């Protein structure tokens, strides 16, 4: 799925911007992979367990995605 997502992201960029776009996408992917477990552990300590923490992080991720999408359309 990752190659398909990267292709989808890069297809909207010009040839001159594709290198930077690929780098930013890769940086965002690895930053998310690093921060997500830390966030889940922190939230699970404040809530009743890991299931609730994963739900909260999931809802937060959807909200952030919707906000970013709306900002890009504006």
């Amino acid at each position: 799925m990752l190659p398909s997502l990267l292709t989808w992201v890069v297809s909207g960029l010009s040839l001159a911007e594709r290198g930077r776009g690929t780098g930013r996408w890769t940086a965002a992917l690895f930053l998310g992979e690093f921060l997500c477990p830390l966030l889940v552990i922190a939230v699970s300590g404040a809530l009743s367990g890991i299931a609730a923490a994963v739900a909260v992080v999931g809802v937060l991720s959807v909200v952030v995605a919707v906000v970013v999408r709306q900002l890009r359309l504006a």
Side-chain angles (χ1 to χ4, degrees), residues 8 18 22 24 26 40 43 48 50 56 61 66-67 69:
W8 176 61
R18 288 189 181 186
T22 303
R24 289 177 181 159
T26 303
V40 169
V43 173
S48 61
I50 198 159
V56 167
S61 297
V66 168
V67 168
R69 176 74 175 174

Side-chain angles (χ1 to χ4, degrees), residues 10-50:
V10 172
S11 67
L13 299 176
S14 69
L15 289 175
E17 296 175 330
R18 288 189 181 186
R20 280 188 299 256
T22 303
R24 289 177 181 159
W25 187 88
T26 303
L29 173 72
F30 286 114
L31 184 64
E33 286 182 353
F34 176 76
L35 292 178
C36 186
L38 299 176
L39 183 62
V40 169
I41 289 170
V43 173
S44 69
L47 297 176
S48 61
I50 198 159

